[in-house]
Structure formats: C-alpha cells, structure tokens
C-alpha cells in the first residue's frame, strides 16, 4: 500500500506540473506578456513532449533503441492531414473532424507499429536501431514520390507525377509528391496539445504501473528469466512498440494541423528529428517520464530564449546539454525499483497462485 501511494503521489506531481505550466503560459498569452514568437512555439512544444514520452516507453521501459520515431510521426501526420483535407468540403463540424483525424492518426501509426514491430523486434541493440532508422527514411521517401487526387470518380493514385493522375477538370490534388499536402485546416491549439499530453501521460504511467508494465520491464531487465516464468516476450514487446507508435502518431497529427503546408522533408521527419527526440529522453532520464517532459520543454524553449545572445546562444545551449548529462535528475529510487521489477512480478504471481 505504501508503494502504491508513492506511485500515485509521483504521478499526481507530474500531472500537476503540466497543468500548472499550462495555467502560467495561458495567463501570459491572455495578458499579452508572451511574444508572438514564443506563442507560436507552444503547439510544437506539446508535439515534442508527446513524442519524448512515447519514445521513453520503448527506450526506457522496454529497453530497446529505436530511431524511427519520426517515421511514426510522419505516418500519423499525413494520415490525419489526408482525412482532414478530404472532409473539408463536407458539413462535418471542425471539432469532430479534428477528433476523428487524431483517432485515424493513432490507428494508422499503431498498424504500422505492428507491421514493423513483428519482424523488427526480433533484433536487438544496434541492429534494431538501424532497421527502425531505415523505416523512417523509407516512409519519408515514399511519401515524397506519392501523388493522390480526388474527383467525382473517386481517388486517383500515382508514383510518377500529378499529370499521371488523369483526373477530371474539377479534381483536387490531395498529396502532391514532395510538395506534400497544402490547405490543411489549422485546428491545433495549445489547449488541445496540453490535453493530449495529459492523455499520453495517463496511458504511459498507468501502463508502467500495471502488471503488463512490470512484465515489459522484466523483459528489459532479464529476458531469459522473464521467459522462464512464462512471460510472452513477443506479445509484451509488440504491445509497448505499438502503443508508443500510436502516441507518436497523435503527435504527428497535432503537428500537421498546426501548419498550412505539410511536407515529408528531412527537417520535419528526418533522421535529425528522431535523434532530437532521443536526446530529450536521454537527458531527461531513461525511464523517467517526468524528466522527458521537462527536458523536452527546456531544450525546445532554450534556443529561442537565448536568441538575443546571437553568437553565444549555441554555446550556452551546448553547456546546458553537458550539464544535464552530468547532473541527470533521474531518481536512483526509480532505477532501483525497475531493477526489481522481475522480483515484484514473481511475487505477484506467487500471491495469485496462493489465492
């Protein structure tokens, strides 16, 4: 009971930090004390927090290195933007349309997570990182060569150019190759971003503190011992991978609906994007969800806050990165608890048999 109360208290602190930060930021926006530049960063900030927390589920909880998180964000972004673009001419309310777009992005990214995870999760370490990195690059390159049009006859697809779509005169090009999707409704707001962060934290934290979460951490700590007590390795690894991909897809949808033009460029969904999200996870503390939130916020805002220093801001940014690596705030008690996850699982299994 004592451990449960500590976990609940820690989770409430994490939720409280997010809500308090939202109240302060919203107050600054309403009173005009926040610059337009900083106000424009609020939605991308929420995107990075969601991406960092979801990636920590793979890197910290599952213990696998994935470099394809930007690929799942790309899938979620384009699937949601595609849906919104197609439904813009309908009478569907904007709020309902955006809600369905979020669900579609999560479902599509989850399907890709399953399809990629089944063969990929047999690999370990660097091999897994290389394959997931290749997935992200393949998704980006395929979308850059993909053309989709819509007219009265339905959808038209091409991998050559827009002319090959052979549409009617009044047809609309939805995906225009490397030019991406233009005219997506800008439905993303800071408030919606905070709500999605809270939902992401709720899903990840509850999974970590559940029996399934303890099984996932047991696989991370000692795969052979976990398998010897009957834990289905493939099932739980695929579960963590799929949930992480779905949450990354919602981050992509939030990102897509904050732009008037969505393109699958290296700056948006390339290798550097995956590395940046991984940096948030590592500097925040691997397995420390609250640390991922704080690291994503600090490292996203810091370059803009130091912009007035011009030549010195990148130097200060590098110093802060080094300081975060040296003085990592990941609590030792979390590492201790995670090392004993297999022991707790065995104890719980024993108690269940006794009952």
């Amino acid at each position: 009971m004592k451990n449960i109360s500590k976990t609940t208290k820690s989770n409430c602190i994490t939720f409280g930090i997010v809500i308090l930060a939202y109240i302060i930021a919203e107050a600054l926006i309403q009173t005009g004390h926040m610059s337009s530049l900083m106000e424009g960063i609020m939605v991308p900030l929420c995107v990075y927090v969601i991406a960092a927390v979801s990636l920590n589920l793979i890197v910290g909880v599952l213990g696998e290195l994935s470099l394809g998180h930007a690929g799942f964000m790309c899938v979620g972004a384009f699937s949601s933007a595609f849906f919104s673009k197609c439904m813009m001419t309908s009478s569907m309310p904007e709020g309902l349309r955006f809600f369905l777009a979020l669900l579609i992005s999560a479902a599509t990214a989850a399907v890709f997570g399953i399809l990629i995870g089944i063969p990929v999760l047999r690999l370990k370490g660097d091999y897994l990182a290389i394959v997931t990195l290749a997935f992200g690059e393949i998704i980006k390159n395929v979308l850059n060569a993909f053309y989709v049009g819509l007219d009265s006859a339905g959808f038209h697809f091409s991998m050559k150019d827009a002319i090959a779509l052979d549409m009617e005169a009044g047809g609309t090009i939805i995906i225009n190759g490397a030019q991406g999707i233009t005219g997506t409704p800008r439905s993303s707001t800071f408030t919606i971003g905070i709500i999605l962060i809270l939902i992401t934290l709720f899903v990840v934290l509850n999974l970590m503190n559940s029996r399934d979460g303890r099984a996932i951490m047991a696989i991370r700590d000692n795969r052979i011992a976990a398998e010897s007590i009957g834990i289905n390795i493939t099932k739980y690894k695929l579960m963590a991978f799929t949930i992480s991909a779905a949450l990354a897809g919602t981050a992509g949808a939030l990102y897509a609906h904050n732009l008037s033009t969505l393109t699958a460029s290296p700056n948006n969904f390339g290798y550097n994007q995956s590395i940046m999200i991984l940096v948030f996870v590592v500097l925040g503390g691997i397995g420390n969800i609250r640390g991922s939130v704080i690291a994503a916020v600090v490292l996203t805002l810091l370059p803009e806050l130091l912009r007035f220093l011009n030549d010195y801001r990148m130097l200060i940014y590098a110093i802060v990165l080094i300081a975060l690596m040296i003085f990592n705030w990941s609590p030792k008690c979390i590492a201790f608890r995670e090392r004993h996850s297999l022991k707790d699982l065995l104890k719980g299994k024993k108690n269940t048999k006794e009952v």
Side-chain angles (χ1 to χ4, degrees):
M1 190 69 182
K2 186 177 180 181
N3 292 332
I4 295 176
S5 63
K6 284 184 178 180
T7 301
T8 304
K9 182 179 179 181
S10 177
N11 294 348
C12 289
I13 291 174
T14 303
F15 285 110
I17 290 174
V18 174
I19 295 173
L20 180 62
Y22 168 71
I23 293 173
I24 295 174
E26 192 66 22
L28 292 174
I29 294 173
Q30 295 298 329
T31 56
H33 289 85
M34 182 178 291
S35 64
S36 58
L37 179 62
M38 292 297 298
E39 187 176 347
I41 299 177
M42 291 297 104
V43 173
L45 182 66
C46 296
V47 172
Y48 292 136
V49 170
I50 296 171
V53 172
S54 61
L55 181 59
N56 210 343
L57 184 58
I58 296 178
V59 178
V61 181
L62 181 59
E64 299 288 355
L65 179 59
S66 173
L67 296 178
H69 222 55
F72 293 119
M73 288 180 61
C74 186
V75 169
F78 271 83
S79 60
S80 63
F82 182 86
F83 172 79
S84 296
K85 180 72 174 179
C86 293
M87 300 302 294
M88 284 183 66
T89 56
S90 67
S91 58
M92 182 181 295
E94 182 180 354
L96 177 60
R97 182 180 63 204
F98 184 52
F99 176 73
L100 292 177
L102 288 173
L103 294 181
I104 289 172
S105 67
T108 307
V111 169
F112 273 83
I114 294 173
L115 295 177
I116 300 299
I118 291 174
V120 162
L121 290 177
R122 299 176 184 273
L123 304 174
K124 298 179 183 178
D126 297 340
Y127 299 103
L128 176 62
I130 292 171
V131 174
T132 53
L133 174 62
F135 158 72
E137 293 299 311
I138 290 171
I139 288 294
K140 179 170 60 67
N141 292 327
V142 168
L143 287 173
N144 282 331
F146 201 55
Y147 296 83
V148 180
L150 177 64
D151 58 15
S152 60
F155 290 103
H156 299 260
F157 303 92
S158 173
M159 296 291 289
K160 185 178 180 182
D161 53 35
I163 299 176
L165 291 174
D166 192 22
M167 293 189 302
E168 298 175 354
T172 303
I173 298 177
I174 300 177
I175 302 179
N176 193 15
Q179 298 181 20
I181 302 176
T182 58
T184 306
R186 302 189 64 174
S187 304
S188 296
T189 62
F190 181 43
T191 301
I192 294 176
I194 291 296
I195 293 173
L196 291 177
I197 288 175
L198 294 175
I199 293 174
T200 302
L201 289 173
F202 178 81
V203 171
V204 174
L205 291 174
N206 277 275
L207 176 63
M208 290 177 62
N209 297 312
S210 66
R211 184 175 180 82
D212 292 336
R214 291 194 296 272
I216 293 171
M217 289 187 283
I219 295 171
R220 177 202 61 196
D221 294 337
N222 194 322
R223 175 171 178 164
I224 297 176
E227 193 172 11
S228 67
I229 63 171
I231 295 177
N232 191 329
I233 304 296
T234 304
K235 171 188 172 182
Y236 287 108
K237 290 180 71 173
L238 191 60
M239 177 191 296
F241 201 77
T242 303
I243 293 174
S244 177
L247 294 175
T250 59
L254 187 66
Y255 178 83
H257 287 78
N258 191 47
L259 303 171
S260 57
T261 302
L262 177 66
T263 58
S265 65
N267 293 331
N268 294 340
F269 303 109
Y271 168 75
N272 290 333
Q273 183 83 323
S274 294
I275 293 298
M276 183 178 66
I277 299 171
L278 182 62
V279 167
F280 295 155
V281 174
V282 173
L283 295 183
I286 296 177
N288 187 354
I289 302 302
R290 190 189 308 164
S292 296
V293 175
I294 297 174
V297 172
V298 171
L299 296 181
T300 303
L301 293 180
L302 195 61
E304 302 303 327
L305 293 174
L306 299 178
R307 187 176 293 274
F308 67 94
L309 294 176
N310 295 328
D311 296 335
Y312 300 100
R313 68 187 184 94
M314 293 309 296
L315 175 62
I316 298 175
Y317 182 57
I319 293 173
V320 171
L321 287 176
I322 295 172
L324 285 172
M325 294 181 68
I326 296 175
F327 304 103
N328 196 314
W329 55 71
S330 179
K332 293 182 179 179
C333 61
I334 292 180
F336 178 82
R337 183 188 65 188
E338 291 175 349
R339 283 197 299 270
H340 289 74
S341 57
L342 181 61
K343 180 180 177 181
D344 295 338
L345 192 67
L346 286 168
K347 184 178 179 181
K349 191 170 184 179
K350 182 178 179 182
N351 293 338
T352 303
K353 289 183 178 179
E354 290 175 356
V355 174

